[in-house]
Amino acid sequence: MISLRLKVDPLPIDEPLVVRLQGPGSPARSDHDAVLAEIAPDRREYDLNGFSFGVYGISSEVIDGDVLMMLPGETTAHRLIRAGSAHNTLLVTEQCDQLCVMCSQPPKKYHTDLFEQFTLAASLAPQGAMIGVSGGEPLLHKERLFSMLEDVNAQRPDIGFHILTNAQHFSRADLERLQRLDYERVLWGVPLYSSMPETHDQLVGKPGAFASLEQGLSILMRAGASLELRTVVMQQNWQDLPALADYVSTRLSFLTVWAIMQLERIGYARMNWKETFRDTSGDFEQIARAVDIATARGLKAALYNFPLCSVPPAYQDFAPSTISDWKRKYLDFCLNCRAKETCGGFFQWYSQAEGFAFLGPL
Ligand code: SF4
């Protein structure tokens, strides 16, 4: 598993520090660049404006260009941006106003505000990077979030963001700011689990969520924003998928993509796995109908987090590799599969004992 934390020397700092690691061949471009000064077997020493610190247990080639955040008193650094990866996500808050039965990141009560550090990290990312923003619910800190997007855009218009939000905290007052964001560089990923308000509200643990979400989506539509609608397949919404396809294709036809997603077995999803996970490897019928309805009406549908061999051949083109590199694994039988290059495999925390019944190399 790729590590998102690195052991470092403790630094004499009072505030979080964000630095970009640079090889000796790449001259420092800003005060935030630390340049590789010395290589020992298990330690890389970097120079940051005259003081040095060590990074342990990883080769300098692997971390060249990475952006780290070090916190006072800590001996591990957060690898906020991995220069060689397309899967970088900033967890901007752990607070949330929903309690979804399938939540992979259960919410916490308190918020540590690191938007300033995240803004700097994003502005140090490689050219053209697309950075994920998730939570918790990022829009609980809407002003800070908008400021981050605007500040990064002012310095680095090449950087894009993919923001996961329940979209319930937009108001008409946000229209102007939303319209100013580059719709080609900002994609809003918004969950909708059912066309029936009561089912959606029950799944997200919040009465009135569906109604607030409809309002939020209408604001995104009026702003001309890019929308990735996200529906996790569960036992609870299985029967409703065709009706949801009908709702999505008639009411939300402005969307960029409708992502139908498999469950990630962690957090509340792991706790509620038996009542929630739907094995789609043996019965794909409702998903097939939903995809057919959406595509027949000109919408782009996609299947996220599905092992390719769990999907009938006619729908495999809808299933790109979507599981982030740092949390992806393959099983023993994948070794002989000719589709391994294009298949996204499984989450690290997937358990075959409780998972798909019908899988095997293609
Ligand atoms: S056998 Fe493994 S690599 Fe091949 S399609 Fe299935 S999950 Fe993917």
PDB file of all heavy atoms in Angstrom, residues 307-310 330-331 333-334 337-340 343-346 359-362, ligand 1:
ATOM      1  N   PRO A 307     -14.968  -4.163  -9.976  1.00  0.00           N
ATOM      2  CA  PRO A 307     -13.979  -5.018 -10.640  1.00  0.00           C
ATOM      3  C   PRO A 307     -14.535  -5.396 -12.019  1.00  0.00           C
ATOM      4  O   PRO A 307     -15.726  -5.722 -12.140  1.00  0.00           O
ATOM      5  CB  PRO A 307     -13.903  -6.253  -9.738  1.00  0.00           C
ATOM      6  CG  PRO A 307     -14.660  -5.932  -8.505  1.00  0.00           C
ATOM      7  CD  PRO A 307     -15.545  -4.768  -8.766  1.00  0.00           C
ATOM      8  N   LEU A 308     -13.697  -5.321 -13.035  1.00  0.00           N
ATOM      9  CA  LEU A 308     -14.182  -5.481 -14.408  1.00  0.00           C
ATOM     10  C   LEU A 308     -14.889  -6.819 -14.629  1.00  0.00           C
ATOM     11  O   LEU A 308     -15.894  -6.892 -15.339  1.00  0.00           O
ATOM     12  CB  LEU A 308     -12.990  -5.342 -15.366  1.00  0.00           C
ATOM     13  CG  LEU A 308     -13.233  -4.622 -16.681  1.00  0.00           C
ATOM     14  CD1 LEU A 308     -13.999  -3.332 -16.531  1.00  0.00           C
ATOM     15  CD2 LEU A 308     -11.891  -4.353 -17.367  1.00  0.00           C
ATOM     16  N   CYS A 309     -14.384  -7.888 -13.964  1.00  0.00           N
ATOM     17  CA  CYS A 309     -14.978  -9.209 -14.195  1.00  0.00           C
ATOM     18  C   CYS A 309     -16.319  -9.368 -13.477  1.00  0.00           C
ATOM     19  O   CYS A 309     -17.001 -10.384 -13.658  1.00  0.00           O
ATOM     20  CB  CYS A 309     -14.016 -10.322 -13.789  1.00  0.00           C
ATOM     21  SG  CYS A 309     -13.421 -10.178 -12.106  1.00  0.00           S
ATOM     22  N   SER A 310     -16.722  -8.376 -12.684  1.00  0.00           N
ATOM     23  CA  SER A 310     -18.050  -8.438 -12.065  1.00  0.00           C
ATOM     24  C   SER A 310     -19.107  -7.816 -12.971  1.00  0.00           C
ATOM     25  O   SER A 310     -20.298  -7.844 -12.664  1.00  0.00           O
ATOM     26  CB  SER A 310     -18.045  -7.708 -10.714  1.00  0.00           C
ATOM     27  OG  SER A 310     -18.013  -6.296 -10.904  1.00  0.00           O
ATOM     28  N   TYR A 330      -5.179  -6.013  -5.810  1.00  0.00           N
ATOM     29  CA  TYR A 330      -5.692  -7.077  -6.677  1.00  0.00           C
ATOM     30  C   TYR A 330      -5.634  -8.381  -5.896  1.00  0.00           C
ATOM     31  O   TYR A 330      -4.878  -8.505  -4.938  1.00  0.00           O
ATOM     32  CB  TYR A 330      -4.863  -7.155  -7.967  1.00  0.00           C
ATOM     33  CG  TYR A 330      -5.024  -5.905  -8.825  1.00  0.00           C
ATOM     34  CD1 TYR A 330      -4.162  -4.824  -8.679  1.00  0.00           C
ATOM     35  CD2 TYR A 330      -6.067  -5.799  -9.737  1.00  0.00           C
ATOM     36  CE1 TYR A 330      -4.329  -3.669  -9.419  1.00  0.00           C
ATOM     37  CE2 TYR A 330      -6.246  -4.638 -10.492  1.00  0.00           C
ATOM     38  CZ  TYR A 330      -5.378  -3.582 -10.331  1.00  0.00           C
ATOM     39  OH  TYR A 330      -5.552  -2.428 -11.057  1.00  0.00           O
ATOM     40  N   LEU A 331      -6.429  -9.349  -6.302  1.00  0.00           N
ATOM     41  CA  LEU A 331      -6.445 -10.642  -5.618  1.00  0.00           C
ATOM     42  C   LEU A 331      -5.579 -11.634  -6.397  1.00  0.00           C
ATOM     43  O   LEU A 331      -5.154 -11.360  -7.520  1.00  0.00           O
ATOM     44  CB  LEU A 331      -7.890 -11.134  -5.486  1.00  0.00           C
ATOM     45  CG  LEU A 331      -8.818 -10.167  -4.712  1.00  0.00           C
ATOM     46  CD1 LEU A 331     -10.216 -10.740  -4.579  1.00  0.00           C
ATOM     47  CD2 LEU A 331      -8.265  -9.832  -3.319  1.00  0.00           C
ATOM     48  N   PHE A 333      -6.158 -14.295  -8.010  1.00  0.00           N
ATOM     49  CA  PHE A 333      -6.604 -14.734  -9.331  1.00  0.00           C
ATOM     50  C   PHE A 333      -6.443 -13.646 -10.396  1.00  0.00           C
ATOM     51  O   PHE A 333      -6.578 -13.914 -11.584  1.00  0.00           O
ATOM     52  CB  PHE A 333      -8.041 -15.282  -9.295  1.00  0.00           C
ATOM     53  CG  PHE A 333      -9.075 -14.311  -8.763  1.00  0.00           C
ATOM     54  CD1 PHE A 333      -9.477 -13.217  -9.500  1.00  0.00           C
ATOM     55  CD2 PHE A 333      -9.648 -14.524  -7.512  1.00  0.00           C
ATOM     56  CE1 PHE A 333     -10.442 -12.335  -9.021  1.00  0.00           C
ATOM     57  CE2 PHE A 333     -10.607 -13.643  -7.016  1.00  0.00           C
ATOM     58  CZ  PHE A 333     -11.005 -12.548  -7.773  1.00  0.00           C
ATOM     59  N   CYS A 334      -6.130 -12.422  -9.980  1.00  0.00           N
ATOM     60  CA  CYS A 334      -5.936 -11.330 -10.951  1.00  0.00           C
ATOM     61  C   CYS A 334      -4.612 -11.492 -11.715  1.00  0.00           C
ATOM     62  O   CYS A 334      -4.441 -10.901 -12.790  1.00  0.00           O
ATOM     63  CB  CYS A 334      -5.933  -9.982 -10.256  1.00  0.00           C
ATOM     64  SG  CYS A 334      -7.462  -9.621  -9.381  1.00  0.00           S
ATOM     65  N   CYS A 337      -4.918 -12.378 -15.286  1.00  0.00           N
ATOM     66  CA  CYS A 337      -6.006 -11.701 -16.004  1.00  0.00           C
ATOM     67  C   CYS A 337      -5.445 -10.753 -17.054  1.00  0.00           C
ATOM     68  O   CYS A 337      -4.602  -9.913 -16.751  1.00  0.00           O
ATOM     69  CB  CYS A 337      -6.866 -10.942 -15.004  1.00  0.00           C
ATOM     70  SG  CYS A 337      -8.213 -10.070 -15.795  1.00  0.00           S
ATOM     71  N   ARG A 338      -5.969 -10.842 -18.265  1.00  0.00           N
ATOM     72  CA  ARG A 338      -5.467  -9.958 -19.322  1.00  0.00           C
ATOM     73  C   ARG A 338      -6.042  -8.534 -19.189  1.00  0.00           C
ATOM     74  O   ARG A 338      -5.602  -7.619 -19.867  1.00  0.00           O
ATOM     75  CB  ARG A 338      -5.783 -10.547 -20.703  1.00  0.00           C
ATOM     76  CG  ARG A 338      -7.254 -10.687 -20.983  1.00  0.00           C
ATOM     77  CD  ARG A 338      -7.556 -11.248 -22.352  1.00  0.00           C
ATOM     78  NE  ARG A 338      -8.941 -11.678 -22.441  1.00  0.00           N
ATOM     79  CZ  ARG A 338      -9.971 -10.849 -22.547  1.00  0.00           C
ATOM     80  NH1 ARG A 338      -9.775  -9.552 -22.610  1.00  0.00           N
ATOM     81  NH2 ARG A 338     -11.211 -11.320 -22.596  1.00  0.00           N
ATOM     82  N   ALA A 339      -7.024  -8.367 -18.294  1.00  0.00           N
ATOM     83  CA  ALA A 339      -7.653  -7.049 -18.144  1.00  0.00           C
ATOM     84  C   ALA A 339      -7.065  -6.248 -16.984  1.00  0.00           C
ATOM     85  O   ALA A 339      -7.541  -5.164 -16.670  1.00  0.00           O
ATOM     86  CB  ALA A 339      -9.153  -7.210 -17.940  1.00  0.00           C
ATOM     87  N   LYS A 340      -5.997  -6.775 -16.346  1.00  0.00           N
ATOM     88  CA  LYS A 340      -5.500  -6.123 -15.119  1.00  0.00           C
ATOM     89  C   LYS A 340      -5.087  -4.666 -15.355  1.00  0.00           C
ATOM     90  O   LYS A 340      -5.243  -3.809 -14.484  1.00  0.00           O
ATOM     91  CB  LYS A 340      -4.339  -6.932 -14.551  1.00  0.00           C
ATOM     92  CG  LYS A 340      -4.047  -6.566 -13.107  1.00  0.00           C
ATOM     93  CD  LYS A 340      -3.019  -7.459 -12.482  1.00  0.00           C
ATOM     94  CE  LYS A 340      -2.568  -6.830 -11.176  1.00  0.00           C
ATOM     95  NZ  LYS A 340      -1.258  -7.236 -10.767  1.00  0.00           N
ATOM     96  N   CYS A 343      -8.397  -2.715 -15.377  1.00  0.00           N
ATOM     97  CA  CYS A 343      -9.315  -2.937 -14.251  1.00  0.00           C
ATOM     98  C   CYS A 343      -8.812  -2.208 -13.003  1.00  0.00           C
ATOM     99  O   CYS A 343      -7.619  -2.218 -12.720  1.00  0.00           O
ATOM    100  CB  CYS A 343      -9.409  -4.441 -13.965  1.00  0.00           C
ATOM    101  SG  CYS A 343     -10.296  -4.829 -12.460  1.00  0.00           S
ATOM    102  N   GLY A 344      -9.732  -1.600 -12.279  1.00  0.00           N
ATOM    103  CA  GLY A 344      -9.357  -0.860 -11.074  1.00  0.00           C
ATOM    104  C   GLY A 344      -9.199  -1.746  -9.856  1.00  0.00           C
ATOM    105  O   GLY A 344      -8.809  -1.269  -8.786  1.00  0.00           O
ATOM    106  N   GLY A 345      -9.511  -3.033  -9.959  1.00  0.00           N
ATOM    107  CA  GLY A 345      -9.308  -3.949  -8.851  1.00  0.00           C
ATOM    108  C   GLY A 345     -10.260  -3.703  -7.687  1.00  0.00           C
ATOM    109  O   GLY A 345     -11.446  -3.399  -7.876  1.00  0.00           O
ATOM    110  N   PHE A 346      -9.693  -3.793  -6.483  1.00  0.00           N
ATOM    111  CA  PHE A 346     -10.500  -3.754  -5.249  1.00  0.00           C
ATOM    112  C   PHE A 346      -9.915  -2.730  -4.276  1.00  0.00           C
ATOM    113  O   PHE A 346      -8.726  -2.423  -4.326  1.00  0.00           O
ATOM    114  CB  PHE A 346     -10.461  -5.129  -4.569  1.00  0.00           C
ATOM    115  CG  PHE A 346     -10.899  -6.252  -5.457  1.00  0.00           C
ATOM    116  CD1 PHE A 346      -9.987  -6.900  -6.290  1.00  0.00           C
ATOM    117  CD2 PHE A 346     -12.218  -6.662  -5.480  1.00  0.00           C
ATOM    118  CE1 PHE A 346     -10.392  -7.936  -7.117  1.00  0.00           C
ATOM    119  CE2 PHE A 346     -12.633  -7.698  -6.303  1.00  0.00           C
ATOM    120  CZ  PHE A 346     -11.720  -8.335  -7.124  1.00  0.00           C
ATOM    121  N   LEU A 359     -16.439 -13.942  -9.695  1.00  0.00           N
ATOM    122  CA  LEU A 359     -15.306 -13.184 -10.233  1.00  0.00           C
ATOM    123  C   LEU A 359     -14.308 -14.164 -10.832  1.00  0.00           C
ATOM    124  O   LEU A 359     -14.309 -15.347 -10.488  1.00  0.00           O
ATOM    125  CB  LEU A 359     -14.588 -12.401  -9.124  1.00  0.00           C
ATOM    126  CG  LEU A 359     -15.348 -11.321  -8.369  1.00  0.00           C
ATOM    127  CD1 LEU A 359     -14.479 -10.791  -7.229  1.00  0.00           C
ATOM    128  CD2 LEU A 359     -15.740 -10.170  -9.294  1.00  0.00           C
ATOM    129  N   GLY A 360     -13.421 -13.655 -11.663  1.00  0.00           N
ATOM    130  CA  GLY A 360     -12.365 -14.525 -12.187  1.00  0.00           C
ATOM    131  C   GLY A 360     -11.670 -13.856 -13.348  1.00  0.00           C
ATOM    132  O   GLY A 360     -12.212 -12.908 -13.942  1.00  0.00           O
ATOM    133  N   PRO A 361     -10.463 -14.309 -13.669  1.00  0.00           N
ATOM    134  CA  PRO A 361      -9.674 -13.638 -14.705  1.00  0.00           C
ATOM    135  C   PRO A 361     -10.377 -13.593 -16.051  1.00  0.00           C
ATOM    136  O   PRO A 361     -11.067 -14.539 -16.427  1.00  0.00           O
ATOM    137  CB  PRO A 361      -8.391 -14.478 -14.778  1.00  0.00           C
ATOM    138  CG  PRO A 361      -8.632 -15.702 -13.968  1.00  0.00           C
ATOM    139  CD  PRO A 361      -9.786 -15.454 -13.072  1.00  0.00           C
ATOM    140  N   LEU A 362     -10.202 -12.508 -16.756  1.00  0.00           N
ATOM    141  CA  LEU A 362     -10.776 -12.353 -18.099  1.00  0.00           C
ATOM    142  C   LEU A 362      -9.763 -12.822 -19.126  1.00  0.00           C
ATOM    143  O   LEU A 362      -8.569 -12.816 -18.873  1.00  0.00           O
ATOM    144  CB  LEU A 362     -11.162 -10.888 -18.345  1.00  0.00           C
ATOM    145  CG  LEU A 362     -12.256 -10.329 -17.429  1.00  0.00           C
ATOM    146  CD1 LEU A 362     -12.468  -8.837 -17.719  1.00  0.00           C
ATOM    147  CD2 LEU A 362     -13.579 -11.070 -17.627  1.00  0.00           C
TER     148      LEU A 362
HETATM  149  S1  SF4 B   1      -9.627 -10.905 -12.362  1.00  0.00           S
HETATM  150 FE1  SF4 B   1      -8.878  -9.174 -11.176  1.00  0.00          FE
HETATM  151  S2  SF4 B   1      -7.863  -7.856 -12.664  1.00  0.00           S
HETATM  152 FE2  SF4 B   1      -9.177  -9.275 -13.790  1.00  0.00          FE
HETATM  153  S3  SF4 B   1     -11.068  -8.199 -14.093  1.00  0.00           S
HETATM  154 FE3  SF4 B   1     -11.298  -9.439 -12.244  1.00  0.00          FE
HETATM  155  S4  SF4 B   1     -10.714  -8.075 -10.584  1.00  0.00           S
HETATM  156 FE4  SF4 B   1      -9.964  -7.152 -12.469  1.00  0.00          FE
END
